[in-house]
Amino acid sequence: MRANEFREQMWMMVHAISCGVSGFVEPFIDESEITRLQLMVLSGISCGKITTVKTMSEFLCLNQGNASTLCKKLEAMGYLERQRSAEDQRVVLLTITENGKEVLAGIEKKIEEAMMPVLEEMEEETLQIIRDGFKECMGLVEKLNQSRVELEMKNR
């Protein structure tokens, strides 16, 4: 397969997966009062991937101003708390509240109820092939980003 063909197919598959996941998840989110992005924030904080506004902006590929605004909205809704770090006042630490945990758990439960019967029917070998494919894809994306950075530095 030629590189151009692969590139086109890759973009189409990424788009199809993104739309498919959104289509699967959105109805469960729509039943709550939060958005998909807000759900990603609560989930990221809950699992420890997001600890500060900075890590949130990096995790979600947002600028820090938009991340901060998103945090303020979630704080006003009672789903997260912001606190300045004692060591560095510029750092804003994020924690999920009990209300945030409840909303997150409710959505995750609905998603799991719909997802698990399908996953449980799949062969372990098929699941492993999918995991391996995603790992390869993530490796490719890392190489693409590295190539982009190198090109930017070369063109300076």
Side-chain angles (χ1 to χ4, degrees):
M1 174 183 309
R2 299 180 62 108
N4 281 339
E5 247 182 284
F6 178 81
R7 180 183 51 87
E8 289 174 18
Q9 289 180 2
M10 184 180 77
W11 290 129
M12 295 306 291
M13 285 187 279
V14 167
H15 177 71
I17 290 169
S18 178
C19 289
V21 169
S22 292
F24 173 75
V25 171
E26 290 294 335
F28 303 116
I29 297 170
D30 288 345
E31 295 173 10
S32 71
E33 59 182 24
I34 66 173
T35 66
R36 182 168 37 114
L37 190 56
Q38 291 169 334
L39 174 67
M40 291 173 66
V41 171
L42 295 179
S43 181
I45 294 170
S46 180
C47 75
K49 298 267 187 212
I50 295 174
T51 56
T52 65
V53 174
K54 182 179 182 190
T55 59
M56 179 181 140
S57 68
E58 291 168 354
F59 184 74
L60 299 174
C61 301
L62 299 172
N63 70 44
Q64 284 197 3
N66 289 341
S68 183
T69 300
L70 187 54
C71 288
K72 288 176 187 173
K73 175 76 172 167
L74 283 166
E75 185 176 41
M77 297 168 81
Y79 296 146
L80 72 75
E81 293 177 348
R82 297 177 303 148
Q83 183 177 1
R84 297 251 176 223
S85 168
E87 293 84 36
D88 185 345
Q89 290 291 304
R90 296 171 297 176
V91 176
V92 179
L93 304 171
L94 305 175
T95 55
I96 189 168
T97 64
E98 287 304 315
N99 287 342
K101 289 176 184 177
E102 288 175 18
V103 168
L104 179 61
I107 294 170
E108 287 178 340
K109 182 178 184 225
K110 291 173 185 175
I111 291 170
E112 187 171 318
E113 287 173 353
M115 183 182 273
M116 291 313 292
V118 174
L119 294 179
E120 287 170 352
E121 287 181 5
M122 296 181 77
E123 296 288 328
E124 182 59 36
E125 183 179 323
T126 302
L127 293 172
Q128 187 61 47
I129 290 169
I130 294 169
R131 277 192 296 267
D132 291 345
F134 275 118
K135 285 179 185 175
E136 287 291 325
C137 188
M138 288 167 49
L140 173 60
V141 170
E142 286 177 23
K143 287 179 183 176
L144 292 172
N145 277 313
Q146 183 179 355
S147 174
R148 176 191 49 82
V149 168
E150 290 170 1
L151 183 62
E152 287 174 352
M153 293 184 73
K154 179 181 161 189
N155 289 332
R156 285 185 183 181

